[in-house]
Amino acid sequence: MATDATPAAPLALLAELTHRCPLRCPYCSNPVNLTRVAEELDTATWARVFHEAAELGCLQVHLSGGEPTARRDIPDVVRAASEAGLYTNLITSGVLAGGAKLQALVAAGLDHVQLSVQDAEAGSADRIGGTRGGHAKKLDFARQVQEAGLPLTLNAVVHRQNLDRLPQLIDLALALGAGRLEVAHVQYYGWALANRDALLPTLAQLEAATATVEAARRDLKGRLVIDYVVPDYYARRPKSCMGGWGRQFLAVSPAGRVLPCHAAESLPGFDFPNVREVSLRWAWERSEAFARFRGTAWMPAPCQGCEHAERDWGGCRCQAFALTGDAAATDPACALSPHHHLLDLAVQEAAAATDAFTYREMGRSPAPVG
């Protein structure tokens, strides 16, 4: 049995190939400071990373961004991951990925496509994504994926401004031939934190959405798998973020930094290892950054000794930092946290706010919150 000193192999690698993206989503989960093209890992380095991931025990790789198909070498990247023996999942907006590019990805060994949508209605979807005609391109891309015989997951990031159309999003997933639908409530750190007032749903919306998901899971069993990621702002217990810090997943940023989760670069005081300098195995098994919040020994009261400690693993470190300024603090989603009241204040502020967004722009920083 693995211990905190000898962690078990990760299940999957999130390979963030680029921060370039044709969309301007106000809930973008990428870091505030984006990696420039000149700083991105090259194809050969990614190929080495994929082989190291397979040797470490990873079974699959999620090719993400930004928009991964913004890279000209994306077929070569997919081929390298496939040749390493990894199951390849492309996480894409679909806006740049159709036609000959999709055919090249299929020929390179792509196994699965995960397509993001901003809403079920074109006008709202394009407004949220900050594009013109993007939703129509997504629907056409989904058709091409189906024709290519690839399995499709639809990813719908939901919030106050589209949550009421969750039934239509479920219908859209069925119409597009998706086998899986991810209903993922916005998680509030990075750019999304700056837009929290415009995105945070009401309690009534959340309860209605949860009932919709439960009914759809029952009625569509065998036709559509629905994953449901809820927001923490109405919770009394934190969720097990990424299965626990450094326990099941690892990510590599476009610049090569090895991270316990894709948002970890938002945390100060970390020296995250880089694949240009160390192996993936060394980063996973020996780096201080991964060890710092792995397991339970690091936990403060009231987490230390709590019966839930090895279920939620302390919750989300990025959320703890975003709300309290201390990454080691008890996640405010826990009712026992001395900062739990901050979630109530956020809900009150959102209820009085407008629906105006601050859109994501390359080289631009969001306005501070609070």
Side-chain angles (χ1 to χ4, degrees), residues 82-318:
S82 181
E83 290 177 350
L86 298 172
Y87 183 90
T88 54
N89 174 38
L90 179 71
I91 302 176
T92 178
S93 68
V95 175
L96 305 177
K101 184 172 289 185
L102 177 60
Q103 295 173 18
L105 295 176
V106 173
L110 184 64
D111 293 307
H112 185 276
V113 171
Q114 180 174 319
L115 174 65
S116 67
V117 292
Q118 281 65 46
D119 205 332
E121 193 274 322
S124 176
D126 288 344
R127 182 183 70 85
I128 294 168
T131 61
R132 291 184 179 181
H135 187 69
K137 292 178 181 178
K138 290 171 181 284
L139 300 188
D140 183 58
F141 174 71
R143 176 188 57 78
Q144 294 178 50
V145 170
Q146 191 173 34
E147 291 175 351
L150 289 175
L152 174 67
T153 291
L154 203 66
N155 176 257
V157 180
V158 294
H159 45 83
R160 187 171 79 211
Q161 300 195 39
N162 66 6
L163 194 53
D164 293 337
R165 285 181 292 280
L166 181 54
Q168 290 89 338
L169 283 165
I170 294 172
D171 289 342
L172 179 62
L174 292 170
L176 295 178
R180 181 181 296 271
L181 170 65
E182 291 189 0
V183 180
H185 283 268
V186 170
Q187 305 299 300
Y188 297 100
Y189 41 74
W191 206 273
L193 185 62
N195 281 294
R196 185 179 63 190
D197 286 352
L199 295 168
L200 190 64
T202 66
L203 178 58
Q205 282 184 305
L206 177 59
E207 290 176 339
T210 301
T212 296
V213 167
E214 291 174 350
R217 282 173 167 170
R218 180 185 64 247
D219 297 341
L220 299 174
K221 186 175 182 179
R223 295 179 60 197
L224 182 68
V225 176
I226 302 178
D227 295 329
Y228 188 46
V229 181
V230 299
D232 290 327
Y233 279 60
Y234 296 102
R236 296 189 63 79
R237 295 232 46 87
K239 59 179 175 286
S240 176
C241 185
M242 304 297 290
W245 177 280
R247 292 184 61 84
Q248 294 185 2
F249 300 95
L250 76 166
V252 175
S253 77
R257 283 179 284 275
V258 190
L259 309 167
C261 77
H262 68 281
E265 285 184 280
S266 67
L267 303 178
F270 279 84
D271 183 17
F272 289 110
N274 195 296
V275 295
R276 289 186 169 108
E277 302 166 354
V278 302
S279 70
L280 209 59
R281 180 177 296 277
W282 190 95
W284 177 256
E285 295 182 349
R286 299 178 59 187
S287 70
E288 188 278 334
F290 273 78
R292 188 179 302 187
F293 295 130
R294 183 180 271 148
T296 60
W298 64 272
M299 292 181 179
C303 299
Q304 189 62 245
C306 175
E307 63 178 319
H308 299 281
E310 294 191 10
R311 299 176 196 169
D312 57 41
W313 301 105
C316 179
R317 298 301 87 217
C318 298

Side-chain angles (χ1 to χ4, degrees), residues 23-37:
L23 304 185
R24 302 186 297 141
C25 299
Y27 49 75
C28 180
S29 61
N30 283 331
V32 171
N33 297 315
L34 299 177
T35 298
R36 300 290 179 174
V37 176

Side-chain angles (χ1 to χ4, degrees), residues 188-189 193 196 231-239 298 300-303 312 314-347:
Y188 297 100
Y189 41 74
L193 185 62
R196 185 179 63 190
D232 290 327
Y233 279 60
Y234 296 102
R236 296 189 63 79
R237 295 232 46 87
K239 59 179 175 286
W298 64 272
C303 299
D312 57 41
C316 179
R317 298 301 87 217
C318 298
Q319 179 164 266
F321 174 74
L323 292 174
T324 73
D326 181 5
T330 298
D331 188 336
C334 180
L336 299 177
S337 166
H339 304 289
H340 187 67
H341 67 283
L342 295 176
L343 303 186
D344 295 330
L345 291 176
V347 170

